[in-house]
Amino acid sequence: MTSETVGGHKVIRRGLVVTGLGLLGLALVYVLALQFTPVERLQGLPQKIFYVHVPAAWSALLAFSLVGIASILYLWLRDPRLDLFAESAAEAGLVFSLVMLTTGPLWGKPVWGTWWTWDARLTFTLILFFLFLGYRALRGAVSDPGERARFAAVVGIMGLVLVPFVHLTVYLFRTLHPQPIVLKPSEPSLPWEMLRTLFASLAVHTILLTGFVMTRYGLGKRAQLAGGDDAG
Amino acid sequence: MGEFLRGALAVAAKDIRVEHRSKTGLVSAIAFAALVLVIFNFARDAAAVSREVLAPSVLWITFAFSGVIALNRSFALERENAALDGLLLAPVSRSALFLGKYLANLAFVFTVEAVTLPLFVLFFGVDLGGALIGIGATAVLATTGFVAVGTVFAAMTVRTRFAELMMPLLVLPFMLPPVMWGVQATARLLAGRPLGEIGGWLRILGLYDLVFVTVCLLLFPALMDE
Amino acid sequence: MVGPNGAGKSTLLRVVAGLARPSAGTVLIGGVPLVRDPGARRSIGLLSHQSHLYSDLTAIENLAFTARLYGIPDPPAAARAGLRAVGLAERGDEPVRRLSRGMIQRVAIARSLLHSPRLLLLDEPFTGLDPRSSEQVAGLLGREREQGRALVLVSHDVHESWDLATHVHLLVRGIWASSGSREETLDQFLRRYREVLHG
C-alpha cells in the first residue's frame, strides 16, 4: 500500500467519523426540536420541519460556495485535489438541496395546503439544485480528467457569479407576486428556544456537510488510486 | 489591442461567412422560433387566458429557446476538419477567439430575434405602439448577456456526449434572470408605460451583461488549454 | 521522425506546436523556449491529419482567413500567391468540399506555409494521397527545405520521406530509440528499425 492509498483511507475514516458525529448531532437536534422546543401556535407540529428545512438550504448554499471557491483555486493552481474537493462538495450540495426541496412540500402541504410555493428560499434552492445537477452532468459527460476538471471549474465559477443575480431575481419576483398571507417563522421574531434549536441544527448541518465532503473526497481519492483515472 | 480586435473580427467575419454560405442554421433557427410561437397559440386556452396577458412570456420563452438552438452550431462548425486547431495554432489570443465567436453568435441571435418579433406581433395581435424601441433595447441587453454565457457553454459541450442536451441544461439557469427581467420590462412597455419606467430593469440587465461578458472573456482561455 | 503507431509522434508535434501542454520539460526552438504566448506561435506551422479548413468556404476564402489571423497584409493576394505555390490557383474559387483529398492536402500545406514559419511540423503528410499527389507534395517540401525552412516530418512509413530527410529520429513508445543525421542507407535503417521494434 502506497502512502497515498493509506492517506485516502484515512480521509474516508475521518470523514465517516465526522459524519457519524453529525448524524448523532442530528438525532440530538430532533430530540431538541420535538421535546424541548415549543410548538408553533398557528402551524402546529409540521412547523418543526423548519429545523431541517432551513439548515439544509444553508448547507446547500455553503456547498455551492465551496465549489465556486475550489474552482477558482483550481484554475489558478491546477491541483487535481482541488478538483476532487469541488466534485465532493457538489455532490454534498446536491444531497442537501434535495433534502431542502423535499422537506419544503412536506411542510407546505399540511400548513398552507399546497405542495409547492414559489417562495424566495425554495425557488433559490431549486435553481441551486439545477446548477448542481448541470455541474454533475457535465462532469459525467467529459472523459479526459484534465479537461473535466477545467470545464467543471468554469461552470463552478460561473455558477457562483450567477448566485447574486438569482437572489436578486427571486427577491424581485417575490415582491411582484406577494405570497398569500402565510406565516414564515424565519424572521428574527422567533422566541429564544426556537432560535436555539435552529442554530443547533445549523451547526449540525455544517458538521454533516464537512463529513459528507470529507468522506466523498476520500472515496474519490481511493477510486482514482484504484486505477479509475490515469491522471496524476 | 489592435491585434486583439483584428483577430476577433477575422473570426467573427469568418463565422458569418460560413453561415451565410449554407444558411441552414439561420433558417432552421428562425423556423424553430416561428413554430414555438405557433405552438403557444395552440397551447393556450383562449377562453381562460387572453393573448395580452401571455404575450410577454411567450416572446421571451421563444427568444430563450431559439437562442439556445442558435448557439449550438457555434462550435459545431469548428469540429469538421479540426478547424478549431487551426484557430488555436494562430497567433491570436484565446480571449480574442472568444470575442470573435461571441460577436458572430450575437449577430446570429439578433437576426433570429429580429425576425421573431414581427412574427410575434402578427400571431399574437399585439399592439406595439411606441413600445418597439423599448422592447428592442431590452432584447439587445438581455441577449448580450446570455449569448456570452451560451458561447462558453457551447465551446464546452461540443465534444461531450449528449451535447444538444448538455447545452440547454447548463445555460438555462443562466437565462433565468435576463428572461424574468425582460418579461417584466416588456409587460410594462406593452401596457403603454413610458421607457423611463423600465430604467431599473435595463440597468440590471446591463449589469448582468457587464459581469458575464467579463467573466466569460476571462474564463474562456481555460477551456482551450490542453 | 519515424516510429510505430502509438509511439507518441503526433502528441509530440502537438506539444511543439503549442496545442498541448507537456507534463514535463520545455520546448526550445532555435534555442529559445517556446512560451505559451500568441506571438510565439507565429514561427510555427502545423500540417496534421485534419486539414483545418472550412468545407463550405472556398480555398481562397480559407487562406485569406488564415492570412487575417496571422496579420499578413493584403489577405486575398497572399491567398492567391499561396495557392499558386501549390499549383491550385485555378481551383481557388470552389468550395473546399468539392476538392479531392490530394488537393485538400495541398491547400492545407499552403495554409501551413502562408505565414512563412521558421519551423513546419508535418504529421503524416503523405497519408491517403495517390502517387502523383505524393510526388507533388514531396517536391513542394523539398523546395521548402532548399529554401532553408526547418521541417519536422512524422511518418510511420519511412520510404516516402527518406529522401527528404537530413536527420532521422526513431521514436518507440515515447522514447527516442535512435537519433542523428542520416548517414546510413535506407536498408540499413530498416534493418535497425526492425531490430529495435522486436527488441
Side-chain angles (χ1 to χ4, degrees):
Chain A
M1 259 195 8
T2 66
S3 63
E4 278 218 325
T5 328
V6 172
H9 287 143
K10 247 204 309 215
V11 176
I12 298 178
R13 226 191 334 267
R14 287 205 197 117
L16 287 174
V17 165
V18 175
T19 307
L21 279 174
L23 289 173
L24 184 64
L26 191 63
L28 289 173
V29 165
Y30 280 162
V31 169
L32 191 63
L34 290 169
Q35 290 295 110
F36 298 100
T37 314
V39 177
E40 215 273 342
R41 196 162 38 91
L42 287 145
Q43 295 179 38
L45 218 48
Q47 180 271 341
K48 295 198 185 255
I49 295 181
F50 159 82
Y51 298 112
V52 170
H53 179 75
V54 170
W58 152 259
S59 282
L61 183 57
L62 187 56
F64 197 81
S65 315
L66 288 176
V67 174
I69 295 170
S71 296
I72 295 173
L73 288 174
Y74 175 80
L75 283 188
W76 177 27
L77 299 168
R78 302 291 167 127
D79 187 337
R81 292 175 298 179
L82 285 166
D83 175 59
L84 183 58
F85 180 80
E87 184 184 16
S88 313
E91 196 163 301
L94 188 69
V95 167
F96 280 111
S97 46
L98 258 178
V99 166
M100 192 271 186
L101 292 170
T102 44
T103 52
L106 286 177
W107 182 14
K109 189 73 170 104
V111 175
W112 300 306
T114 48
W115 288 108
W116 184 263
T117 74
W118 288 100
D119 84 72
R121 206 166 27 232
L122 263 179
T123 312
F124 182 84
T125 309
L126 182 65
I127 297 172
L128 277 189
F129 172 74
F130 281 117
L131 287 168
F132 278 131
L133 210 59
Y135 180 88
R136 199 181 159 81
L138 179 70
R139 290 194 75 102
V142 179
S143 30
D144 176 66
E147 197 175 76
R148 185 192 315 142
R150 276 181 288 120
F151 285 11
V154 169
V155 174
I157 296 173
M158 290 185 66
L160 191 62
V161 172
L162 183 70
V163 160
F165 289 103
V166 172
H167 180 76
L168 175 63
T169 305
V170 168
Y171 168 76
L172 288 171
F173 191 80
R174 210 168 74 111
T175 50
L176 289 168
H177 305 265
Q179 299 296 306
I181 302 168
V182 289
L183 291 160
K184 294 266 179 201
S186 52
E187 278 69 56
S189 54
L190 281 175
W192 178 78
E193 290 95 345
M194 290 186 168
L195 269 177
R196 169 196 68 185
T197 311
L198 177 63
F199 285 139
S201 190
L202 278 171
V204 162
H205 273 80
T206 310
I207 295 173
L208 268 178
L209 174 66
T210 312
F212 286 167
V213 175
M214 285 174 70
T215 313
R216 178 60 179 76
Y217 182 91
L219 288 169
K221 194 102 191 111
R222 188 172 68 179
Q224 271 178 12
L225 293 170
D229 286 332
D230 53 81
Chain B
M1 181 50 127
E3 265 197 36
F4 183 87
L5 276 180
R6 175 179 50 78
L9 290 175
V11 172
K14 180 268 299 174
D15 267 30
I16 293 175
R17 191 184 303 243
V18 170
E19 189 51 52
H20 181 72
R21 194 53 52 84
S22 65
K23 296 187 195 60
T24 29
L26 190 61
V27 168
S28 309
I30 292 176
F32 176 80
L35 279 168
V36 170
L37 287 174
V38 170
I39 289 183
F40 266 122
N41 184 57
F42 284 103
R44 179 178 61 96
D45 178 0
V49 192
S50 72
R51 284 191 288 193
E52 290 75 43
V53 166
L54 275 185
S57 310
V58 169
L59 180 65
W60 282 91
I61 293 178
T62 309
F63 277 170
F65 286 144
S66 45
V68 172
I69 296 273
L71 286 167
N72 258 323
R73 43 149 277 302
S74 165
F75 281 87
L77 76 97
E78 305 294 347
R79 290 203 70 187
E80 209 190 343
N81 302 326
L84 184 63
D85 275 351
L87 292 177
L88 295 175
L89 276 168
V92 175
S93 78
R94 309 303 189 227
S95 296
L97 276 184
F98 169 77
L99 184 61
K101 282 287 175 188
Y102 170 60
L103 290 174
N105 285 341
L106 271 183
F108 195 80
V109 177
F110 280 152
T111 308
V112 174
E113 291 178 349
V115 178
T116 304
L117 188 58
L119 279 176
F120 163 75
V121 170
L122 182 69
F123 288 167
F124 284 79
V126 169
D127 177 16
L128 274 187
L132 181 61
I133 298 197
I135 295 182
T138 311
V140 165
L141 282 174
T143 306
T144 304
F146 76 68
V147 168
V149 176
T151 304
V152 168
F153 288 148
M156 253 196 257
T157 55
V158 74
R159 276 182 305 167
T160 62
R161 305 202 301 262
F162 319 121
E164 291 78 23
L165 259 184
M166 283 295 2
M167 237 292 273
L169 177 62
L170 288 174
V171 97
L172 284 171
F174 289 83
M175 291 175 112
L176 277 172
V179 164
M180 188 244 173
W181 305 334
V183 166
Q184 292 303 317
T186 305
R188 282 165 181 66
L189 288 168
L190 287 179
R193 316 300 310 156
L195 196 57
E197 260 187 49
I198 60 160
W201 301 105
L202 293 180
R203 265 194 295 275
I204 45 179
L205 279 169
L207 178 63
Y208 181 97
D209 292 349
L210 198 64
V211 168
F212 273 102
V213 172
T214 309
V215 167
C216 289
L217 261 171
L218 291 173
L219 290 179
F220 185 82
L223 295 180
M224 298 287 115
D225 267 347
E226 205 173 297
Chain C
M1 216 182 353
V2 191
N5 288 330
K9 312 188 295 294
S10 296
T11 310
L12 182 57
L13 280 192
R14 286 182 75 82
V15 169
V16 174
L19 287 179
R21 220 193 266 249
S23 44
T26 343
V27 175
L28 296 171
I29 298 186
V32 179
L34 178 69
V35 176
R36 285 170 67 85
D37 83 83
R41 298 198 274 270
R42 212 176 279 283
S43 50
I44 301 169
L46 173 67
L47 181 77
S48 69
H49 292 128
Q50 306 267 38
S51 65
H52 305 158
L53 299 172
Y54 297 96
S55 303
D56 286 326
L57 299 184
T58 68
I60 289 286
E61 286 168 337
N62 268 287
L63 292 180
F65 171 58
T66 306
R68 278 185 202 99
L69 284 182
Y70 283 85
I72 301 172
D74 197 354
R80 291 213 179 271
L83 274 186
R84 261 198 304 276
V86 297
L88 279 174
E90 3 48 90
R91 306 296 297 268
D93 292 302
E94 283 177 47
V96 163
R97 188 183 295 294
R98 286 211 236 122
L99 301 178
S100 73
R101 172 92 177 81
M103 290 182 201
I104 290 178
Q105 186 74 320
R106 282 191 278 159
V107 177
I109 292 178
R111 188 191 186 283
S112 60
L113 285 171
L114 205 64
H115 56 291
S116 296
R118 283 195 298 149
L119 173 63
L120 181 61
L121 307 167
L122 303 130
D123 197 347
E124 315 260 4
F126 302 108
T127 311
L129 295 184
D130 62 86
R132 184 171 137 69
S133 303
S134 268
E135 247 181 73
Q136 280 171 324
V137 169
L140 247 166
L141 294 177
R143 281 195 295 280
E144 291 299 321
R145 197 199 65 187
E146 305 292 300
Q147 286 165 13
R149 201 181 306 284
L151 307 175
V152 175
L153 201 157
V154 155
S155 176
H156 67 271
D157 180 353
V158 190
H159 295 89
E160 297 169 318
S161 32
W162 184 257
D163 292 323
L164 276 171
T166 54
H167 296 68
V168 180
H169 307 278
L170 180 55
L171 190 64
V172 180
R173 279 189 288 278
I175 302 171
W176 294 120
S178 93
S179 194
S181 47
R182 199 195 71 188
E183 275 152 12
E184 57 204 329
T185 68
L186 177 55
D187 288 323
Q188 287 172 326
F189 177 79
L190 284 174
R191 227 174 297 135
R192 219 159 38 81
Y193 189 7
R194 251 172 259 126
E195 275 166 35
V196 171
L197 279 187
H198 295 127

